[in-house]
Amino acid sequence: MISQEKRLIITFRCTTDAIAMEKSCKATGAPGRLIPVPRSISASCGLSWCAPPTSRTTLEKLLQEQDLDSEGIYECII
């Protein structure tokens, strides 16, 4: 059985924004990785940023500093 845990999920309006988030996080050493948007959040296809919930403040600050637009920020078990 696969272990499920609470994760922070940041969704974006388009793939370009998700890729920009990945580049910014890699450049600054921020935690997380790109994953498909979980079905519990949206049935549409697309990419989201997945990270530990403890990194929420850091990632919200990064979004603001890098002028990245997120569609939503969620905490869910995946």
Side-chain angles (χ1 to χ4, degrees):
M1 186 171 154
I2 297 174
S3 173
Q4 293 184 331
E5 58 187 81
K6 192 174 193 179
R7 304 300 288 173
L8 180 73
I9 305 294
I10 302 173
T11 59
F12 302 92
R13 288 181 178 79
C14 65
T15 303
T16 305
D17 291 340
I19 300 292
M21 177 68 167
E22 180 181 42
K23 287 181 182 180
S24 293
C25 286
K26 284 185 177 185
T28 61
R33 65 186 177 97
L34 284 177
I35 64 166
V37 175
R39 293 230 182 257
S40 59
I41 295 173
S42 173
S44 66
C45 64
L47 295 173
S48 61
W49 190 255
C50 177
T54 55
S55 63
R56 184 178 188 128
T57 302
T58 300
L59 294 173
E60 286 176 335
K61 184 177 176 183
L62 179 71
L63 285 166
Q64 184 178 12
E65 289 173 350
Q66 298 295 319
D67 198 27
L68 299 171
D69 292 324
S70 65
E71 187 174 50
I73 300 176
Y74 308 88
E75 289 188 22
C76 59
I77 297 175
I78 58 171

